[in-house]
Amino acid sequence: MKTIVIDARKIKSSTGRYVFELCTHLEAIDTTNRYKVIVLPEEADYYRPTNPNFTVVTCSYKHYTFDEQLGFNHFLRALKPDLVHFYMPQQPLLYTKPAITTVHDLNLLRITDNDMGAVERFVKKKIFAALLWVVARRTRHIITPTQFTKDDLVSWSHVSPEKVTVTYEGVYDLKKTKPTPKYSDVPYFMYLGRAEPYKNNRRMIEAHQRLLRTKPELKLLIVGAIDDLRKADMDWVKQNGYKNVDFLGWLPDEEAAWLYQRAIAYVGPSYLEGFGLPALEAMYQGAPVVSANTTCSPEVFGDAAHYFDPFSIDDITRAMNDVMTDAKLRKQLIMNGRSQVKKYSWRRMAEQTHAIYIQTLNHSLTD
């Protein structure tokens, strides 16, 4: 029996869905090895394993802190793992024992506009680039969620393609829904996700405002945590006198699923993506998807999305209007979406990841 540690700090987040599903499915796959899943104290009740070989361990070492580099390193070593899986590149540089790392995207290196000032952005990019450069070479194996991210990482870091495995993510099989009566009879587009500038919410909002000229009752529902970035968007909407934009905050999965099912379409405006999970979840619930045509989106969505140029408000407006007014297009997108989501499976992702664990552990024995 080997001890495998999974760094699942921030498991209760959009990116955390990946590590939550990984741990959940690993419980059914591996009944031999011992797993210790690290979460933050405030997330201790979010993941509750049923396999007795899985244990939740809490720590307070957060990403991008000195404590992560020093204290978390000692914390990990005290757990005496045979292998650590870091589900993001953020990890102690001093930890040199066998580990694998998931790199979801290289967005921090690619963004040119965000909430940070020019100096802060420059410094954070340099720090992240240095961290990722070291991690890419030191970690035993790298996992990416798409071929796009793999190609981007290999091109940037010059690591061998053999060191990187693509494990596509899955779709949450949620059949139970919880109604939000306020939106039962209201036409709306929907977005679920964060508010970072590269997520392109403001161009989406401006496109929606143009559609109000011909459909004044149309709403845009924006789902996601009300953090400082979201509050800035809310102030911007108010200052511009924009109408019918509802910020719903974080919603339980059951409520989000109900909203997906009744949306005119789900809008994915981000021009930098590592996978695009909310759009796939929308497809699963029967919502048409309109999406940016950049980075990994065409790879993941295929012909199940109606694409637009995310840098053109005119083109975003055009795509949203197409899906709103063309019943035949909507029907085709819904059919294509239901076929597309069948290509993705959390169980298969967990099986592929488990195989990487075993391969890495076996190689470690011969080192």
Side-chain angles (χ1 to χ4, degrees):
M1 177 183 286
K2 299 294 184 180
T3 298
I4 300 170
V5 169
I6 299 178
D7 176 15
R9 291 171 297 159
K10 291 189 73 65
I11 193 172
K12 192 177 180 180
S13 67
S14 55
T15 307
R17 168 78 81 186
Y18 162 83
V19 74
F20 177 86
E21 295 291 344
L22 172 63
C23 294
T24 300
H25 287 277
L26 281 173
E27 287 188 54
I29 293 167
D30 192 343
T31 58
T32 302
N33 294 300
R34 181 188 301 110
Y35 286 80
K36 296 181 180 180
V37 181
I38 303 173
V39 302
L40 297 173
E42 58 267 29
E43 300 171 337
D45 293 331
Y46 186 69
Y47 166 63
R48 297 179 178 180
T50 57
N51 183 330
N53 287 350
F54 283 66
T55 304
V56 173
V57 182
T58 62
C59 79
S60 300
Y61 304 111
K62 295 186 177 181
H63 295 140
Y64 297 114
T65 63
F66 286 112
D67 280 346
E68 178 180 55
Q69 291 303 313
L70 300 176
F72 191 45
N73 175 51
H74 293 298
F75 181 86
L76 285 172
R77 291 175 183 274
L79 295 177
K80 298 181 179 179
D82 296 289
L83 178 68
V84 176
H85 180 184
F86 296 101
Y87 92 103
M88 290 197 286
Q90 291 89 314
Q91 57 193 260
L93 288 173
L94 295 176
Y95 190 80
T96 56
K97 293 185 176 296
I100 67 169
T101 300
T102 299
V103 178
H104 296 274
D105 55 59
L106 275 67
N107 288 355
L108 190 55
L109 302 180
R110 306 302 184 212
I111 54 176
T112 57
D113 61 331
N114 56 17
D115 59 308
M116 296 179 284
V119 174
E120 182 183 4
R121 182 167 61 244
F122 175 81
V123 171
K124 283 195 173 182
K125 276 190 176 184
K126 290 295 185 183
I127 292 173
F128 182 75
L131 172 66
L132 186 57
W133 186 268
V134 173
V135 167
R137 279 154 179 75
R138 188 185 63 201
T139 197
R140 299 296 177 96
H141 203 82
I142 301 169
I143 295 172
T144 65
T146 59
Q147 186 67 40
F148 174 87
T149 299
K150 175 177 177 175
D151 293 343
D152 197 18
L153 178 65
V154 168
S155 174
W156 177 81
S157 67
H158 304 296
V159 297
S160 169
E162 302 294 323
K163 190 177 184 177
V164 187
T165 299
V166 176
T167 65
Y168 287 116
E169 297 180 7
V171 180
Y172 187 36
D173 184 16
L174 182 67
K175 295 181 173 64
K176 183 181 177 182
T177 63
K178 181 179 179 181
T180 305
K182 180 179 179 181
Y183 298 109
S184 294
D185 301 310
V186 177
Y188 60 85
F189 285 92
M190 178 180 171
Y191 166 81
L192 185 152
R194 301 198 302 273
E196 278 82 356
Y198 73 84
K199 291 292 187 178
N200 211 25
N201 283 199
R202 294 194 180 187
R203 287 192 182 97
M204 173 183 64
I205 292 169
E206 293 194 72
H208 165 259
Q209 294 302 298
R210 294 184 182 185
L211 293 173
L212 292 180
R213 298 168 188 170
T214 56
K215 198 172 182 67
E217 73 276 23
L218 180 68
K219 283 188 173 288
L220 174 62
L221 308 186
I222 297 179
V223 180
I226 306 294
D227 55 13
D228 289 342
L229 290 171
R230 187 77 75 198
K231 289 176 182 176
D233 281 351
M234 294 168 73
D235 290 342
W236 175 80
V237 165
K238 185 176 181 180
Q239 290 164 7
N240 282 283
Y242 289 158
K243 300 178 180 179
N244 292 6
V245 182
D246 290 6
F247 295 90
L248 304 187
W250 180 87
L251 293 180
D253 292 332
E254 293 80 3
E255 292 183 37
W258 188 89
L259 291 173
Y260 282 141
Q261 292 174 0
R262 286 155 182 78
I264 293 172
Y266 177 84
V267 186
S270 174
Y271 52 80
L272 288 172
E273 276 297 336
F275 189 70
L277 190 55
L280 283 180
E281 293 183 338
M283 290 179 193
Y284 179 84
Q285 297 296 339
V289 169
V290 290
S291 168
N293 60 6
T294 52
T295 59
C296 69
S297 294
E299 174 190 348
V300 176
F301 306 148
D303 64 358
H306 192 52
Y307 294 103
F308 55 76
D309 175 358
F311 300 101
S312 168
I313 297 170
D314 287 343
D315 206 41
I316 301 173
T317 306
R318 185 269 311 161
M320 293 173 69
N321 187 64
D322 287 347
V323 177
M324 183 171 64
T325 58
D326 188 336
K328 184 177 179 181
L329 174 62
R330 277 179 49 79
K331 184 178 180 180
Q332 189 64 55
L333 288 171
I334 291 170
M335 290 176 56
N336 291 354
R338 285 175 173 154
S339 296
Q340 189 70 9
V341 295
K342 293 177 182 178
K343 300 177 182 179
Y344 302 100
S345 163
W346 286 120
R347 173 67 180 232
R348 185 165 58 247
M349 178 276 291
E351 289 172 345
Q352 292 172 310
T353 304
H354 179 255
I356 294 169
Y357 291 170
I358 301 305
Q359 180 184 43
T360 306
L361 286 167
N362 288 340
H363 285 177
S364 297
L365 291 175
T366 61
D367 288 348

